[in-house]
Amino acid sequence: MIKISTFINFISFLGDWLLFSFPLYQGLMELYDYKWFLTEFNQSSKSQPKISPLYWVAPIVKIYLEKKRAVKILGDIIKNESDLRTAMSFIDKATAWYFVSLGGWLKMVSSLYEFLGELHIESVLWLIVGTVILTFLGISSAYYRINPKRQENLISKLKDN
């Protein structure tokens, strides 16, 4: 039989994972609205080297490097006050969602540690492996949900009904 403390630690850990992954998804949805802004100025983005997806092993570093790249791109394309306002809105939203998701990620790591302790698994290796897997799942889930192909499939299914 499962102890109540094990169940509570599990749902706490699950909740903290949700507090990491869904703010990341929300942020991607909101920032996706600015994709037209970045696409319109595609030449500038091509001049900045892309950040390797391997940095997702350390999400904090990946997001930091992506933000730094975005600031450089936006700095190159600002031509007037309207562009500046759009760029500032983009940067402010990106920063806010970064910190909300980061807070959830930190709580997730802490809750995973507590849950593993409840299961008497006190190995740093399992904590690291679990953190990497859960981080990958959270990021993958968010990107899957904003994928235009997924949205097109849903629209197609709705039209068929």
Side-chain angles (χ1 to χ4, degrees), residues 22 25-26 28-29 32 139-159:
F22 278 87
Y25 168 51
Q26 178 68 33
L28 288 172
M29 281 193 316
Y32 192 78
I139 292 166
S140 296
S141 171
Y143 275 101
Y144 166 76
R145 292 176 182 284
I146 65 163
N147 187 323
K149 288 181 184 178
R150 176 182 169 264
Q151 294 171 0
E152 289 169 15
N153 287 340
L154 289 173
I155 290 169
S156 176
K157 286 179 183 177
L158 289 173
K159 287 182 180 179

Side-chain angles (χ1 to χ4, degrees), residues 25-144:
Y25 168 51
Q26 178 68 33
L28 288 172
M29 281 193 316
E30 286 191 27
L31 296 177
Y32 192 78
D33 292 340
Y34 289 91
K35 188 173 183 177
W36 65 267
F37 184 73
L38 295 175
T39 301
E40 184 178 332
F41 299 97
N42 197 18
Q43 289 307 110
S44 179
S45 66
K46 287 180 180 178
S47 70
Q48 296 296 326
K50 293 191 178 206
I51 307 302
S52 170
L54 295 175
Y55 280 105
W56 278 123
V57 171
I60 296 168
V61 175
K62 171 72 170 166
I63 294 170
Y64 169 78
L65 292 173
E66 288 289 359
K67 181 182 174 211
K68 189 174 174 181
R69 180 178 182 263
V71 168
K72 286 180 184 177
I73 293 167
L74 294 173
D76 291 343
I77 61 176
I78 294 173
K79 305 284 188 251
N80 56 44
E81 187 174 330
S82 175
D83 289 348
L84 176 63
R85 289 183 189 283
T86 301
M88 290 304 300
S89 178
F90 175 85
I91 291 167
D92 290 344
K93 286 181 180 179
T95 301
W97 284 116
Y98 163 75
F99 282 108
V100 170
S101 189
L102 175 62
W105 185 82
L106 293 170
K107 281 290 294 161
M108 177 198 70
V109 172
S110 174
S111 291
L112 177 59
Y113 174 77
E114 290 175 12
F115 179 62
L116 290 173
E118 181 71 29
L119 298 176
H120 305 291
I121 301 171
E122 298 184 13
S123 167
V124 173
L125 177 63
W126 280 110
L127 179 63
I128 292 170
V129 168
T131 299
V132 169
I133 290 170
L134 292 166
T135 300
F136 174 77
L137 289 173
I139 292 166
S140 296
S141 171
Y143 275 101
Y144 166 76

Side-chain angles (χ1 to χ4, degrees), residues 1-11 115 118-119:
M1 178 169 241
I2 297 176
K3 295 188 321 186
I4 189 73
S5 61
T6 303
F7 177 72
I8 296 298
N9 278 326
F10 175 75
I11 62 171
F115 179 62
E118 181 71 29
L119 298 176

